[in-house]
């Protein structure tokens, strides 16, 4: 799915190191807590104005949109994502790990949320404890992951990512990590990316050459409105 813009929730107005709690309701119509006419899963996120956390310390629209789409059914004319009984990995989950949280709420057998920065992973662990305690939290470097020859036991049926591409170099490492960690031949990769950003075109072509078939999902208005 490709939201047109990717602008982070702005924490710049807060003093450096300041924590804040953000409450979200995701998954309209899928159950959870009643809120007016819509049902939602209540999500509480701890965010911080931390320049040392890089992109992973921010809350980006891609993660919100992907989680909302999954919780509303995760399907389109061309694709349907099933989580029941599946092993799921979110790469570059950041401090919020919303898609991983959605996968856990949808009945995945095992869910791992991973990021490469220790400070981001520490905050992610606290958010996961609030929202989906069954999710495992790991520190994972994409370059190292891409060079690892994983057996099917160490791989995943579904790999998720959102807003994780910012440079050509990062896109190369992400593609390598995905191919190493995605269970073949039936593994499914689901990502939410902005329409234009350095590295995306090369990333998509790299995965196509390696045998993955892409489907572009047009997000329904119910997802855009809820997110």
């Amino acid at each position: 799915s490709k939201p047109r813009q990717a602008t982070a929730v702005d924490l710049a107005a807060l003093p450096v190191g300041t924590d804040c709690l953000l409450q979200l309701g995701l998954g309209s119509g899928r159950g959870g807590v009643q809120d007016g006419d819509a049902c939602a899963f209540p999500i509480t996120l701890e965010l911080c104005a931390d320049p040392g956390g890089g992109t992973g310390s921010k809350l980006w629209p891609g993660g919100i949109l992907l989680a909302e789409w999954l919780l509303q059914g995760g399907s389109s004319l061309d694709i349907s994502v099933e989580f029941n009984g599946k092993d799921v990995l979110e790469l570059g989950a950041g401090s919020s790990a919303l898609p991983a949280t959605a996968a856990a709420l949808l009945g995945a057998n095992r869910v791992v949320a991973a990021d490469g920065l220790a400070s981001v992973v520490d905050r992610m662990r606290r958010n996961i404890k609030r929202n989906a305690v069954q999710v495992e939290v790991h520190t994972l470097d994409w370059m190292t992951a891409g060079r690892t020859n994983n057996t099917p036991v160490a791989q995943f049926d579904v790999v998720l990512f959102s807003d994780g591409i910012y440079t050509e170099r990062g896109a190369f490492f992400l593609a390598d990590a995905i191919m190493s960690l995605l269970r073949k031949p039936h593994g499914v990769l689901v990502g939410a990316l902005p329409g234009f950003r350095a590295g995306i075109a090369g990333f998509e072509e790299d995965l196509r050459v390696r045998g993955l078939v892409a489907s572009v999902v047009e997000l329904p208005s119910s997802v855009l409105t809820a997110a």
Side-chain angles (χ1 to χ4, degrees):
S1 53
K2 291 191 174 184
R4 294 192 177 197
Q5 297 181 342
T7 55
V9 170
D10 187 7
L11 301 176
L14 297 174
V16 173
T18 300
D19 292 340
C20 69
L21 290 179
L22 177 66
Q23 293 185 325
L24 304 173
L26 297 179
S28 298
R30 286 300 301 261
V33 175
Q34 189 73 24
D35 182 14
D37 294 330
C39 292
F41 294 100
I43 303 292
T44 301
L45 297 176
E46 174 189 315
L47 301 175
C48 179
D50 178 13
T55 57
S57 65
K58 299 177 176 66
L59 179 60
W60 294 85
I64 301 174
L65 288 167
L66 179 54
E68 183 66 35
W69 180 71
L70 295 172
L71 288 169
Q72 287 197 26
S75 63
S76 70
L77 293 176
D78 299 319
I79 187 173
S80 180
V81 183
E82 297 291 337
F83 289 102
N84 190 35
K86 304 292 187 181
D87 296 332
V88 181
L89 168 67
E90 183 184 359
L91 290 171
S95 58
S96 60
L98 290 178
T101 299
L105 293 171
L106 291 168
N109 174 61
R110 180 192 181 208
V111 182
V112 174
D115 203 277
L117 288 177
S119 61
V120 171
V121 171
D122 286 344
R123 195 170 300 276
M124 184 206 306
R125 184 173 287 107
R126 293 196 290 274
N127 283 327
I128 288 297
K129 186 176 181 180
R130 289 185 175 94
N131 300 310
V133 294
Q134 65 270 47
V135 175
E136 302 172 30
V137 177
H138 291 186
T139 302
L140 181 67
D141 176 75
W142 291 351
M143 183 169 65
T144 301
R147 294 176 175 176
T148 303
N149 186 19
N150 288 299
T151 65
V153 173
Q155 293 174 328
F156 296 83
D157 302 300
V158 182
V159 174
L160 307 171
F161 74 97
S162 59
D163 279 308
I165 297 175
Y166 305 94
T167 65
E168 298 284 352
R169 179 179 172 86
F172 174 81
F173 290 141
L174 177 57
D176 276 355
I178 289 167
M179 296 308 298
S180 176
L181 291 163
L182 188 64
R183 190 169 286 154
K184 286 78 169 178
H186 302 300
V188 176
L189 172 67
V190 186
L193 292 170
F196 301 97
R197 188 182 285 162
I200 290 178
F203 170 79
E204 293 176 341
E205 176 62 14
D206 191 357
L207 293 182
R208 186 193 68 78
V209 170
R210 300 192 203 200
L212 295 190
V213 179
S215 295
V216 176
V217 175
E218 294 295 332
L219 294 177
S221 59
S222 59
V223 171
L224 297 173
T225 300

